Amino acid sequence: MRAFLIAAMLMLAACAQQPPRDDALYRDLGGREGIAQIVEGMLLNVAGDRRISAHFQKVDIVRLRVMLIDYFSQETGGPQDYTGDTLEESHKGMDLSPTDFNALVENLQAAMSVQGVPVRTQNQLLARLAPKRHEVIDK
Amino acid sequence: MTRMWIGALCALLPFVAMAGEGRLLATSGATSLEGAAGGGIMPWAVLSGYGERGEWGADAFATRVETGDYRLDAVGVAAAYGNRVEFSYARQRFDLGTLARDLSLPEKTLSQDILGVKVRLFGDLVYDRLPQVSLGVLHKRQRDFQIPALVGAARREDTEGYLAASRLFLGGAFGYNLLVNGNLRYSRANELGLLGFGGDRRDKHSVLKEGSVAILFDPHWALGVEYREKPDNLSFAGESDWSDVFVGYFPNKRIAFVLAYARLGEIATLDEQNGAYLSVQGSF
């Protein structure tokens, strides 16, 4: 009985501790530096993409760059926390369509390919971001 | 055949001007033998072309299946609006080859026209919580009914329906994107309808299951399998379920190729009708 209690307490203690963050994807993307290059590549692609560049005309790109790097880092298990507005707040009034969102995805894919990110790693990042689409479009 | 192609392409021209490319590469799939967007031998829940909300999308396709004794050609066009509703037309021509020679049949080919409508009910192939679910209706009309009538087909024209669910799991197969599709079809078409509809053995619609799985090795290449149940309405010959293994190549949003090995089994008394399937699709 005593052994059982001790075991149960140990398990509770283990549960109470924060599980270590799984940062495998963050590392696969090259850490903060790799993510920074991907984000910069994506923003350059966006600037040259007539389908969606207009949406970014009044945006502070320098700030957006940092926000995106923080956000991607957090979503991939990196140590930095994203401290910006929620996705819903930051896209309010933009009225982005599904087409706009997919255009952004294509620019992100192209940036990752240029950086030599393997397809499977690209898919993992897209899989983390895809469920957030409803927080971005039609706001 | 050539004239039909040119006609089909001309019919599509008005769409080209306003065609959208709002969806991701390969997410419109290819075109099934019956004209609806999908895989090869079955439709999927996806809609033809690359149009998203507020956009038109369209495609034209040509497919040939060679099984040794038979040849099946299919051509057609489809247009979809808003990633919501799809309209399709296909013409199939089935060359009886060996059978026509051996039995001195009155016709050497069997043809049919297929009109289709497909509506996306809910969900999304890639994004939403629910998979993309679509409801489709195909109206088929046999154009050479003499032979089908001789072998016991009950009618030359019929309507069938299908419910399709499709989902692309990002990174779902060892990190590669995985497409899963399942259909329920309500049909009494004999060999797609080329041998008419209903028959001396059974003249009721059957609920038929269809499924396919594909892995996308990168955004341009897909490798997959399909399986399709078929009814068995005619007593003169058995009708086999169909399956295939395919490779799809999507170099860009304008064109796609599908090469497959199709196992069509017994068709009109000739068994082991297995062979190559090649399809080309242009999107607008």
Side-chain angles (χ1 to χ4, degrees):
Chain A
M1 188 63 190
R2 183 182 290 175
F4 175 77
L5 276 176
I6 291 171
M9 283 171 68
L10 280 175
M11 276 175 68
L12 273 177
C15 288
Q17 280 179 344
Q18 277 283 69
R21 257 185 187 179
D22 177 6
D23 64 350
L25 179 56
Y26 176 77
R27 283 185 282 115
D28 287 347
L29 289 168
R32 191 170 177 86
E33 200 172 312
I35 288 173
Q37 284 175 351
I38 291 166
V39 165
E40 284 156 14
M42 179 178 82
L43 289 175
L44 280 174
N45 292 342
V46 165
D49 186 343
R50 273 199 264 164
R51 295 176 295 176
I52 52 169
S53 55
H55 287 296
F56 291 80
Q57 264 169 6
K58 289 174 187 163
V59 172
D60 179 353
I61 295 293
V62 177
R63 181 174 173 274
L64 177 63
R65 172 184 165 276
V66 176
M67 288 290 140
L68 282 170
I69 294 170
D70 283 353
Y71 184 73
F72 284 12
S73 297
Q74 174 185 283
E75 290 301 314
T76 56
Q80 301 93 344
D81 277 323
Y82 170 75
T83 54
D85 295 337
T86 65
L87 291 183
E88 272 161 322
E89 279 167 25
S90 53
H91 294 93
K92 199 166 274 179
M94 293 184 77
D95 197 26
L96 297 175
S97 68
T99 296
D100 298 328
F101 191 88
N102 281 340
L104 194 65
V105 170
E106 286 170 357
N107 287 314
L108 172 59
Q109 284 177 308
M112 288 194 285
S113 294
V114 166
Q115 295 297 325
V117 177
V119 170
R120 295 197 290 175
T121 308
Q122 293 190 23
N123 292 341
Q124 285 176 52
L125 178 58
L126 296 180
R128 304 267 175 108
L129 301 178
K132 317 283 185 195
R133 186 183 75 153
H134 70 101
E135 298 172 29
V136 173
I137 62 170
D138 301 329
K139 297 299 166 205
Chain B
M1 213 66 171
T2 317
R3 190 179 298 168
M4 258 190 63
W5 250 114
I6 294 167
L9 287 174
C10 290
L12 275 173
L13 278 177
F15 294 113
V16 176
M18 49 183 170
E21 294 196 357
R23 278 189 279 149
L24 298 173
L25 185 64
T27 56
S28 64
T31 307
S32 66
L33 283 172
E34 292 157 306
I41 58 173
M42 70 186 65
W44 293 346
V46 300
L47 304 195
S48 60
Y50 283 98
E52 244 296 348
R53 187 194 301 163
E55 301 171 340
W56 278 97
D59 59 44
F61 82 102
T63 299
R64 170 165 288 186
V65 190
E66 289 270 6
T67 67
D69 292 316
Y70 299 119
R71 185 167 78 201
L72 174 61
D73 286 305
V75 295
V77 291
Y81 183 72
N83 196 19
R84 174 61 69 183
V85 59
E86 169 192 289
F87 303 95
S88 61
Y89 167 74
R91 162 78 61 87
Q92 294 176 339
R93 191 179 64 187
F94 190 60
D95 196 321
L96 291 164
T98 310
L99 202 65
R101 263 197 312 280
D102 292 356
L103 305 181
S104 328
L105 293 174
E107 316 251 23
K108 288 185 173 52
T109 61
L110 299 172
S111 297
Q112 71 167 336
D113 291 318
I114 304 173
L115 287 170
V117 179
K118 177 166 30 171
V119 178
R120 180 172 64 84
L121 299 179
F122 57 81
D124 189 272
L125 181 69
V126 184
Y127 294 110
D128 287 355
R129 208 163 283 169
L130 294 168
Q132 182 157 330
V133 174
S134 299
L135 184 68
V137 174
L138 298 172
H139 184 77
K140 300 176 171 180
R141 187 170 169 277
Q142 227 288 345
R143 295 170 60 89
D144 314 288
F145 195 57
Q146 202 178 352
I147 292 172
L150 279 174
V151 299
R155 57 199 79 226
R156 73 179 301 163
E157 201 167 332
D158 203 22
T159 302
E160 63 187 56
Y162 60 90
L163 191 66
S166 303
R167 182 65 163 188
L168 184 74
F169 295 96
L170 293 168
F174 313 107
Y176 295 108
N177 293 343
L178 174 72
L179 184 124
V180 179
N181 183 82
N183 298 346
L184 284 178
R185 188 191 295 254
Y186 190 61
S187 167
R188 62 181 155 195
N190 310 318
E191 303 295 3
L192 307 183
L194 290 161
L195 286 177
F197 306 87
D200 50 353
R201 181 184 286 168
R202 179 182 164 85
D203 191 27
K204 290 197 182 100
H205 287 77
S206 308
V207 176
L208 304 158
K209 294 184 282 295
E210 306 172 346
S212 51
V213 177
I215 294 177
L216 283 87
F217 285 99
D218 73 14
H220 302 285
W221 289 93
L223 177 68
V225 293
E226 298 184 293
Y227 190 91
R228 169 176 180 169
E229 281 185 347
K230 309 242 310 313
D232 207 358
N233 301 327
L234 299 171
S235 58
F236 90 108
E239 179 166 344
S240 302
D241 291 353
W242 283 4
S243 62
D244 69 70
V245 181
F246 68 88
V247 177
Y249 175 47
F250 302 84
N252 53 51
K253 289 185 185 176
R254 292 265 170 252
I255 196 158
F257 303 92
V258 178
L259 179 66
Y261 177 73
R263 294 177 62 88
L264 307 186
E266 179 180 352
I267 299 178
T269 71
L270 300 184
D271 205 0
E272 293 186 22
Q273 296 305 310
N274 308 324
Y277 169 115
L278 179 64
S279 185
V280 181
Q281 169 184 273
S283 300
F284 307 93

